[in-house]
Amino acid sequence: MKLLADLMVFFGAILLTAGTDLVIETAGQDLGSLGGLLGVLLSIIGVSIFTAGILSLRGQAYRTRDQALENDADDGRSKTDKRR
């Protein structure tokens, strides 16, 4: 699952960069050109994929941390229970 989130961040950043570059390249052209529109669409798709990947990685980190804290708490309770 982490690999998928890493790939989402990677490809989202590439799409965002490509879309921004396309918008900048077509800035001086006619309004009838599709380059600007295509660039904006690529940027929006790139940002959404990039953000989803970042949030997925963040959620995985929180779940891992919470699970480690629960395991530490379980170990602490079992030691005190054995001493009684």
Side-chain angles (χ1 to χ4, degrees), residues 12-27 35-36 38-44 47:
I14 288 175
L15 287 175
L16 176 60
T17 305
T20 304
D21 187 48
L22 192 58
V23 168
I24 291 171
E25 284 182 13
T26 59
L38 182 61
V40 169
L41 289 175
L42 279 177
S43 294
I44 290 172
V47 166

Side-chain angles (χ1 to χ4, degrees), residues 4-67:
L4 179 63
D6 288 337
L7 288 174
M8 288 173 68
V9 170
F10 179 73
F11 286 115
I14 288 175
L15 287 175
L16 176 60
T17 305
T20 304
D21 187 48
L22 192 58
V23 168
I24 291 171
E25 284 182 13
T26 59
Q29 294 179 2
D30 297 342
L31 292 176
S33 70
L34 293 176
L37 179 62
L38 182 61
V40 169
L41 289 175
L42 279 177
S43 294
I44 290 172
I45 292 169
V47 166
S48 63
I49 292 173
F50 182 80
T51 305
I54 291 290
L55 291 175
S56 178
L57 287 172
R58 183 177 177 198
Q60 289 174 6
Y62 279 136
R63 283 190 297 273
T64 303
R65 188 189 71 198
D66 288 343
Q67 186 177 14

